[in-house]
Amino acid sequence: MSSGSQKNTIKVLIVDDIADTRENLRKLLAFESDIEVVGAAGTGREAVEIAGQVRPDVVLMDINMPDMDGITATKAISTVVRTAAVVIMSVQSEPAYLRQAMLAGARDFLTKPISSEELYATIRRVYERNEPVRLQEAQMSTVAKSKGEPVKAHRLTPTAGAGHIIVVYSPQAGAGVTTLATNVASALMRQDTRVLLIDCNLQFGDVDAFLNLQSPATIADLTKAIHDLDQEMIDNVLLTHGSGLKVLVAPPQPEDAYDISPESVKELVRTLAGGYDFIIVDTSPQFDDMTLNLFELAERIVLVCNPTIPAIRNTRKILDIFDHLAQPAGLSEKVIFVLNRVSNDKDRGRGTVPTASIENHLKHPVKATIPLDDRAVLTAVNQGVPLVAKLKSRSPGQEMVDLAELIRRSVESEDDAIQPEQPTDARSKSGIRALFGGAG
Ligand SMILES: Nc1ncnc2c1ncn2[C@@H]1O[C@H](COP(=O)(O)OP(=O)(O)OP(=O)(O)O)[C@@H](O)[C@H]1O
Ligand SMILES: [Mg+2]
């Protein structure tokens, strides 16, 4: 039975397409005074919707369901309601699904048929384990209410960086985001220009590999301490590349990303920006609350696209969203649209779409074109040295240097034209759900 009346009740959402199963679970849970069933759903899609409304602490999730399967729903719920711990319910013979479910963000699993003891123990265990996430979210929402003020008076050395935040993004995996982020950051470096490169591809970040850096300390160490950051802590976590570039790397394991909230990343980037002239942010292709937070913060969004049909289609979708978003508004105007992997070689370029057609289709001008050069790009990655550091006067290093200069000019000439953020934060309360019409 319940471990104590002073504790909050654990809010549980039951998700299973079989009505009898839902009812049995509901009856079992009714005996426990510290557990309250706050909702039930028969499909994955319904589960995501209800989870957004009732914000459960624990979700009991079936895998095979019509409409949207349990793994997809787990991923969506884990991203949108970070305080919800998903427990997968499956029959014994589904180890491959279980692995996928854990990668999607599930915290535990139960094997059907489920005994009542196991059910109660698992719910209480995942709830307790999720305590730090609940605390962190509670703190972050208190901060959000303080209307865009810095989280706390950070004990940071006062600096006077221009703080231009440049987010590099592509909805298409492998488009060259990390290649361009590392090279642009490196090309922006000058004696009088301080540059920080942040790897916000939290699950599969590889900036460290691109720059041949190793570090036990990562972005997770700073987001964890977001309320108590001090200069010494930051200095201990940031790495210095041989070129002088400052780098903040992503966590080593994909699952570490689940403990990092989008709000804490936003707050961290904002805080660090004060000490640098340029902050270049590498991102994952996922379009979620974190990317949206970063776009909101960004002064420029370098949108990377390859000249292929799937990449163009995904870019179209992103540009459409940017055009129609009320909050944060003005994302389209921040876009610097870049084509990467463009080949003039008749054979190699076969099947790719000409730049003029892409511009025509997307109604967006291509601001930079980076040539395809497998050998040069791969050699640089293998050596851990940005291309622009070695081959800046030769293609494709030259084009990357040009892109960096274009970015520099665009922010320096329009310093007052674009205000990075309106701190009303109406959107961040409902997050990406609001964007896709879900309940807030
Ligand atoms: N202009 C180019 N010419 C040739 N190869 C390139 C070019 N740009 C990137 N690549 C190669 O494409 C691959 C993917 O690049 P990169 O890792 O930069 O993409 P990404 O968008 O960051 O991918 P992910 O979605 O995995 O984060 C790498 O092997 C890189 O060497
Ligand atoms: Mg990458």
Side-chain angles (χ1 to χ4, degrees), residues 169-182:
Y169 175 75
S170 173
Q172 184 82 11
V177 168
T178 306
T179 301
L180 294 184
T182 48

Side-chain angles (χ1 to χ4, degrees), residues 32-49:
E32 300 304 289
S33 61
D34 61 332
I35 298 174
E36 181 194 357
V37 176
V38 290
T43 72
R45 201 172 293 280
E46 211 185 332
V48 177
E49 212 176 289

Side-chain angles (χ1 to χ4, degrees), residues 75-246:
K75 196 166 180 189
I77 293 175
S78 305
T79 307
V80 173
V81 188
R82 289 187 65 252
T83 49
V86 179
V87 176
I88 293 288
M89 305 182 290
S90 78
V91 289
Q92 236 152 16
S93 58
E94 296 172 307
Y97 282 134
L98 287 181
R99 221 186 129 257
Q100 275 185 44
M102 298 312 267
L103 281 175
R107 298 304 176 96
D108 214 326
F109 58 89
L110 285 161
T111 309
K112 290 179 180 177
I114 300 163
S115 78
S116 54
E117 270 65 43
E118 225 189 321
L119 177 67
Y120 305 149
T122 306
I123 289 177
R124 290 184 186 121
R125 187 170 59 240
V126 295
Y127 178 75
E128 267 161 37
R129 268 203 236 135
N130 225 20
E131 173 85 19
V133 180
R134 282 193 299 279
L135 281 175
Q136 198 184 32
E137 288 278 302
Q139 282 171 343
M140 294 314 295
S141 71
T142 315
V143 169
K145 280 186 196 126
S146 69
K147 280 214 166 186
E149 281 168 23
V151 171
K152 257 189 189 175
H154 296 291
R155 294 184 297 281
L156 301 176
T157 310
T159 39
H164 298 300
I165 298 171
I166 315 295
V167 172
V168 188
Y169 175 75
S170 173
Q172 184 82 11
V177 168
T178 306
T179 301
L180 294 184
T182 48
N183 278 287
V184 161
S186 184
L188 284 167
M189 288 272 304
R190 281 187 196 161
Q191 238 176 0
D192 60 346
T193 310
R194 281 164 297 176
V195 184
L196 169 65
L197 172 63
I198 305 182
D199 195 343
C200 282
N201 187 342
L202 298 182
Q203 284 202 299
F204 299 103
D206 47 11
V207 162
D208 53 348
F210 270 66
L211 297 177
N212 197 15
L213 292 167
Q214 273 158 3
S215 166
T218 74
I219 189 169
D221 297 289
L222 295 183
T223 50
K224 224 183 317 182
I226 190 71
H227 300 285
D228 296 301
L229 286 181
D230 60 40
Q231 196 60 47
E232 194 186 340
M233 197 186 296
I234 293 173
D235 291 344
N236 283 337
V237 174
L238 298 191
L239 299 172
T240 309
H241 185 250
S243 61
L245 176 70
K246 289 284 181 181

Side-chain angles (χ1 to χ4, degrees), residues 173-179 201 210 285 340-341 370-374 377-378:
V177 168
T178 306
T179 301
N201 187 342
F210 270 66
N340 184 33
R341 288 214 183 110
I370 315 294
L372 173 79
D373 190 334
D374 297 316
V377 174
L378 264 182

Side-chain angles (χ1 to χ4, degrees), residues 250-272:
Q253 302 299 335
E255 59 270 27
D256 297 337
Y258 295 121
D259 296 326
I260 303 177
S261 75
E263 292 75 20
S264 66
V265 171
K266 183 180 182 184
E267 199 49 52
L268 178 66
V269 173
R270 198 196 330 239
T271 304
L272 295 178

Side-chain angles (χ1 to χ4, degrees), residues 263-311:
E263 292 75 20
S264 66
V265 171
K266 183 180 182 184
E267 199 49 52
L268 178 66
V269 173
R270 198 196 330 239
T271 304
L272 295 178
Y276 293 85
D277 298 297
F278 285 94
I279 298 86
I280 309 299
V281 184
D282 185 10
T283 57
S284 87
Q286 206 166 329
F287 183 62
D288 54 17
D289 269 345
M290 201 187 71
T291 27
L292 208 51
N293 271 331
L294 291 170
F295 292 157
E296 190 170 14
L297 209 54
E299 198 169 333
R300 290 289 182 274
I301 301 164
V302 176
L303 185 60
V304 185
C305 182
N306 291 168
T308 61
I309 302 280

